[in-house]
Amino acid sequence: METSSAYHDSLDPTNLGNFKNKLNLPGRDGLLGFLEATADPVELAVRRERVQLAPGKETEMLTYRAERDGRVWLNPTFLVKTGAGFSASLTNELDEDTTIHWHGLHLDWRMDGHPLRAVRPGAGYRYAYSVANRGGTYWYHTHGHGNTARQVYMGLAGLFIVEDENERRVNEALGVKLGKTDLPLIIQDKNLDGEGKLVYEPDEMAWSMGYTGNVILVNMTPTPVLEVGTRLYRLRLLNGSNARLYRLAFEKVGGGELLPYRVIAADGSLLARPHLVWEVFLSPGERVDLLLDLRGFEVGEELALTNVAFDPMHREHEMGENMGHGGHAPHGGMAQAEEMYASAPRLGDGQEFYILRMVVKDRLTQDGAVPEALSVVSPADTRGAAVRPVTLSATTEAGQTRWLINGLTYEPDEFPIVVQRGAKEIWEIRNDERSMPHPMHLHGFRFRVFEKRNSPGQVADTAVDKKGRTATDLGWKDTVLVWPGETVRIAIEFSHDFEGEQLSLFHCHILEHEDAGMMINYKVVDPHG
Ligand code: C2O
Ligand code: CU
Ligand code: CU
């Protein structure tokens, strides 16, 4: 029998030799399988399932389970078209509340899994809406009040891929096909004990810093490997981690040098044109679509998607409290599971490790080429926009750090921000110097990143314009990372065709922060008269 420490050593992501598990790619059904939306509602049961993530061990996780014509999907990758209807009937088979939030979609709040619309154990909910968004890579996940972090960590998340004319045209020009050479990759970090069980035991430190894991999974495969050919690939990356931030780069194995790649989309939107980069930051909740050109590779060569080292900027240390990271002794007796993974290497924030190994297997020819223009991204229209200051800061009471938005923590019945239907606003989000990076996410409405000020060097160095924006800030966004000391101005237009007031959310997508109250309600009201 494999000892637990041998099992852990075999999953250590700092050792590329460990990347031997065949990457799970969405197929016709099964885990993350493609599920095309039709006029009939999809029945989605939220329940526990045992899944084999890596050979030899089974893992119990929480899943959205769909069944149709005798086929079964777990956390299906939905395929939908702009302008088409979508409908899903949720049944909650857990013994706790849950919901589905459709991250990045422009929806009536009643359809968007707001905690006020939590689904009780044994109950159901019908989500039905038409898809208004541009084509792009979106996702869905649970949003139970105070319970998002654990439920997402245990598995309740999946992709929602929207196609429109533009997307079709771009993929055709590129000569890529979804599922074959256009590949969705969900990056997550988790802790697995020696038996392959998912461990989620956030201590006080994790509630303030976010819960990170020692194992890197892509599409739920730990330490994965993917066989590729000498051609162009589109990769749709989602950071579905609870708290971990990645600085993504591709590295030729043996050569050491980083490979350039092209960013073509950010969150739910193709950019105006491809941008050549060597690295991007991807924070929890964000997506980036990129083009990887392997035409210059030889069969037998290898490359790796890597998290390159960066400064995680945990500047909250400077609060004077005893907030040190490593060396933190758990209070009281160690839980058994904690003991089991205590021997595993700790993957620090900003530490270098591998995410995916790619082995070039086939010599391929292809016709496609990279188009010069991808889509029309009109500049943010900020005429007449009111500026709303938003501050991110911390408070420490009795040794517990909690993160605040405009000095507030979440109150289910309070709506600290009220905007008029149709209003244009600039939210000027300023993160305290004594803070950590917070990925801020807006429900219901997309936004443009308008300007970034006082960005740290590791971000400013990759800016592509005078407004301090990087390649991944250039499309329509729903989540933006705000570093300590940084000010990010986003432009939002609150127009919609839904009925009545919209009750929505703005929060940090580090899920432990969200659950601990780094979230506020906002309301879109109808002008009087
Ligand atoms: Cu993906 Cu409220 O978030
Ligand atoms: Cu969301
Ligand atoms: Cu946060």
Side-chain angles (χ1 to χ4, degrees):
M1 207 189 94
E2 217 175 6
T3 66
S4 86
S5 97
Y7 181 68
H8 280 298
D9 290 347
S10 76
L11 295 178
D12 174 4
T14 61
N15 179 355
L16 191 61
N18 284 336
F19 285 69
K20 290 177 189 151
N21 298 315
K22 187 167 179 280
L23 175 71
N24 175 48
L25 285 173
R28 296 179 64 237
D29 48 30
L31 185 61
L32 307 180
F34 292 116
L35 182 45
E36 230 166 288
T38 65
D40 304 329
V42 185
E43 305 283 340
L44 276 184
V46 181
R47 54 189 260 177
R48 266 165 233 287
E49 293 282 347
R50 295 188 70 79
V51 179
Q52 187 168 318
L53 303 179
K57 307 264 189 234
E58 279 206 330
T59 299
E60 187 178 270
M61 54 184 278
L62 300 183
T63 62
Y64 295 105
R65 183 181 192 275
E67 215 178 316
R68 183 189 277 173
D69 307 327
R71 284 152 67 192
V72 173
W73 290 258
L74 300 178
N75 297 346
T77 299
F78 287 110
L79 301 180
V80 285
K81 293 200 164 62
T82 299
F86 176 83
S87 162
S89 268
L90 180 80
T91 317
N92 183 2
E93 295 183 14
L94 305 178
D95 48 15
E96 54 190 295
D97 288 6
T98 194
T99 70
I100 305 181
H101 166 59
W102 311 91
H103 181 125
L105 296 193
H106 175 59
L107 296 182
D108 186 315
W109 77 277
R110 299 163 193 91
M111 291 297 138
D112 205 15
H114 191 285
L116 291 173
R117 292 285 165 137
V119 186
R120 308 269 173 248
Y125 200 91
R126 168 73 69 92
Y127 299 94
Y129 51 82
S130 76
V131 177
N133 289 66
R134 287 164 61 113
T137 310
Y138 301 86
W139 65 304
Y140 62 96
H141 59 79
T142 172
H143 223 293
H145 176 40
N147 209 4
T148 302
R150 194 179 51 79
Q151 285 191 355
V152 169
Y153 183 93
M154 296 310 289
L156 291 179
L159 286 166
F160 194 92
I161 295 180
V162 179
E163 194 193 58
D164 62 5
E165 266 314 312
N166 233 344
E167 277 283 346
R168 254 193 301 279
R169 193 180 46 74
V170 166
N171 266 12
E172 211 174 280
L174 291 168
V176 297
K177 258 197 94 193
L178 186 60
K180 299 269 186 288
T181 46
D182 170 357
L183 305 174
L185 303 175
I186 307 175
I187 305 173
Q188 294 171 310
D189 62 330
K190 297 187 189 291
N191 287 311
L192 292 164
D193 75 7
E195 298 311 310
K197 180 170 168 271
L198 279 173
V199 177
Y200 186 69
E201 291 181 346
D203 56 9
E204 186 47 47
M205 183 63 54
W207 284 113
S208 55
M209 299 306 131
Y211 188 80
T212 54
N214 296 327
V215 179
I216 303 297
L217 300 94
V218 181
N219 296 345
M220 291 305 291
T221 307
T223 44
V225 63
L226 171 70
E227 291 183 353
V228 290
T230 54
R231 69 176 333 278
L232 210 57
Y233 284 85
R234 174 177 181 166
L235 304 176
R236 301 172 185 254
L237 274 46
L238 159 67
N239 182 351
S241 309
N242 276 33
R244 189 180 287 279
L245 169 62
Y246 302 88
R247 187 189 205 176
L248 302 171
F250 291 89
E251 190 183 304
K252 188 164 178 172
V253 173
E257 85 271 31
L258 296 185
L259 303 167
Y261 57 97
R262 290 179 177 86
V263 174
I264 59 165
D267 287 359
S269 157
L270 284 168
L271 306 187
R273 58 182 183 84
H275 281 263
L276 198 69
V277 301
W278 276 261
E279 57 172 69
V280 297
F281 280 105
L282 194 68
S283 66
E286 283 187 301
R287 288 85 66 213
V288 65
D289 291 23
L290 49 91
L291 294 181
L292 186 62
D293 192 346
L294 301 181
R295 285 176 289 194
F297 274 72
E298 298 296 332
V299 171
E301 287 186 317
E302 293 193 9
L303 62 157
L305 172 58
T306 304
N307 179 66
V308 290
F310 61 91
D311 177 359
M313 293 194 75
H314 280 284
R315 298 291 191 260
E316 70 284 342
H317 294 275
E318 288 156 25
M319 284 185 291
E321 291 290 323
N322 198 7
M323 295 293 299
H325 260 224
H328 172 72
H331 338 259
M334 262 188 161
Q336 199 192 354
E338 218 172 337
E339 211 160 26
M340 293 179 88
Y341 72 85
S343 59
R346 291 277 164 177
L347 265 198
D349 270 344
Q351 189 190 319
E352 180 151 330
F353 55 80
Y354 300 102
I355 296 167
L356 172 67
R357 182 162 73 106
M358 302 167 94
V359 180
V360 181
K361 254 286 165 28
D362 303 300
R363 167 144 303 282
L364 298 174
T365 50
Q366 80 164 72
D367 303 324
V370 182
E372 261 170 51
L374 298 168
S375 76
V376 176
V377 182
S378 44
D381 177 7
T382 54
R383 278 167 306 172
V387 177
R388 186 184 292 277
V390 176
T391 59
L392 312 177
S393 63
T395 172
T396 300
E397 254 173 63
Q400 301 194 339
T401 297
R402 287 295 174 266
W403 298 100
L404 310 172
I405 301 173
N406 283 351
L408 304 168
T409 54
Y410 185 65
E411 290 294 341
D413 310 318
E414 283 171 23
F415 291 82
I417 294 183
V418 178
V419 300
Q420 302 284 317
R421 184 196 285 245
K424 288 176 202 155
E425 295 203 352
I426 291 173
W427 287 15
E428 187 172 285
I429 311 168
R430 192 187 168 282
N431 195 355
D432 221 55
E433 291 283 350
R434 296 178 172 184
S435 187
M436 60 179 280
H438 296 288
M440 301 308 296
H441 168 56
L442 186 75
H443 283 209
F445 296 86
R446 58 185 193 170
F447 59 79
R448 299 293 310 279
V449 176
F450 188 56
E451 189 174 10
K452 285 181 153 179
R453 288 191 206 134
N454 202 24
S455 304
Q458 58 191 3
V459 178
D461 286 349
T462 64
V464 295
D465 64 20
K466 287 206 188 80
K467 297 195 156 190
R469 293 179 293 194
T470 63
T472 52
D473 294 322
L474 299 178
W476 288 99
K477 296 279 292 172
D478 53 63
T479 307
V480 67
L481 183 62
V482 190
W483 293 83
E486 194 180 33
T487 298
V488 175
R489 287 159 67 99
I490 62 173
I492 319 164
E493 195 179 318
F494 291 96
S495 20
H496 66 87
D497 300 322
F498 310 126
E499 219 182 284
E501 270 181 10
Q502 294 295 308
L503 309 183
S504 208
L505 293 166
F506 177 65
H507 65 85
C508 177
H509 221 288
I510 291 178
L511 298 180
E512 286 75 24
H513 290 183
E514 176 199 320
D515 279 350
M518 194 179 188
M519 171 158 93
I520 54 173
N521 282 313
Y522 75 92
K523 196 189 297 200
V524 183
V525 298
D526 286 328
H528 293 289

